[in-house]
Amino acid sequence: MRVFVTGASGWIGSAVVPELIAAGHEVTGLARSDASAAALTAAGAAVQRGNLDDVESLRAGARASDAVIHLAYIHDFSQFDENARIDLQAIQAIGAELEGSDKPFVITGGTAALTPGQVSTERDTVAPDHPLRARAVSEEVALALADKGVRVSTVRLAPTVHGDGDHGFMSTIISVAREKGVSAYVGDGSNRWPAVHRLDAAHLFRLAVENAPAGSVLHGIADEGVSLRAVAEVIGRHLDVPVTALAPEDSAGHFGWLGHLLAADIPSSSTLTRELLAWQPMQPGLVEDLEKGHYFRSPAA
């Protein structure tokens, strides 16, 4: 298939592109900069210039392809509602181009906004009053395309997609521990986060574009729930700093914008996804990956 990928040069996209090419697909990646275009060319992909709010470029990429994987998202929590609007606009533009084609369209979501305190599944949805509700609307609009002749599916990713080179949540937590000289967790640290390795996530996206039935909700989850205390203990050991508990009301002061999420208990399952697509994560789990040491290289390196 000719697969159009948004976010193709990003953290997950740069793993999805070689995964697709190795399986015999042709890839065109959306690139907003010369550096992104060069990276895609080096990876063996064609380049479609444009950005996430360039509706005409998105429609052209979808029109020229047999399938679309939408990975791009503007991760700026200070502009959350606006970035959710841009994401929805992109999905609507691509979806309009694909209507009636039966082409695969895989979008990206997350599990962090599902019901806390219980193991969420692919059948769960985001509560109407959840503060992250705006992004969930994109998933609902996309899945409705199944009734309009699009083989649409959504891959909900764990809040941490880890691996060598990660600059996401784990790197942020480690940076805070390095800066403050203490590795902290919230409360008793028993709250859990799901996780998935970047390469396992990339494999799931390929399986989704190849085989997921229309309307599928998939979970990119390898570790169902890793306690945040276990994460803090690994960080403390590698940085040689003390490990300590924080009262929930002190979390935001210590971790900043990430504080509220680090207090959340949000385990999640991928049992239905594994059964549907025979997806089996093969890469190291989060704790094992942290133990490898690459997260703790000196920032100067």
Side-chain angles (χ1 to χ4, degrees), residues 70-87:
H70 175 49
L71 288 162
Y73 195 82
I74 304 170
H75 293 282
D76 178 358
F77 286 88
S78 69
Q79 300 289 329
F80 182 81
D81 287 345
E82 173 61 12
N83 294 334
R85 183 198 66 77
I86 292 172
D87 183 56

Side-chain angles (χ1 to χ4, degrees), residues 23 34 47 50 74 94 97 161 168 204 216 223 228 236 239 264 266 298 300:
D34 291 342
V47 175
I74 304 170
I94 295 169
E97 197 64 45
V161 181
L204 178 56
S216 298
D223 290 319
L228 273 293
L239 294 182
I266 46 175
S298 168

Side-chain angles (χ1 to χ4, degrees), residues 237-296:
R237 187 166 59 254
H238 279 266
L239 294 182
D240 194 23
V241 298
V243 179
T244 189
L246 291 175
E249 59 269 23
D250 295 330
S251 180
H254 186 85
F255 289 108
W257 60 270
L258 189 53
H260 74 284
L261 192 54
L262 287 172
D265 183 39
I266 46 175
S268 189
S269 166
S270 60
T271 299
L272 300 178
T273 298
R274 299 183 195 215
E275 292 174 354
L276 180 66
L277 295 181
W279 176 61
Q280 184 58 50
M282 303 295 291
Q283 300 299 321
L286 175 58
V287 170
E288 182 183 353
D289 202 18
L290 287 169
E291 292 284 19
K292 288 178 178 291
H294 54 80
Y295 274 96
F296 304 99

Side-chain angles (χ1 to χ4, degrees), residues 85-140:
R85 183 198 66 77
I86 292 172
D87 183 56
L88 176 59
Q89 175 184 273
I91 287 171
Q92 290 172 323
I94 295 169
E97 197 64 45
L98 298 180
E99 281 187 20
S101 68
D102 290 321
K103 291 180 179 180
F105 180 24
V106 184
I107 71 156
T108 310
T111 65
L114 299 175
T115 305
Q118 65 183 43
V119 179
S120 63
T121 77
E122 295 87 341
R123 295 191 178 101
D124 290 320
T125 57
V126 178
D129 59 348
H130 196 283
L132 300 181
R133 171 70 185 165
R135 189 172 186 190
V137 173
S138 291
E139 178 177 282
E140 293 169 1

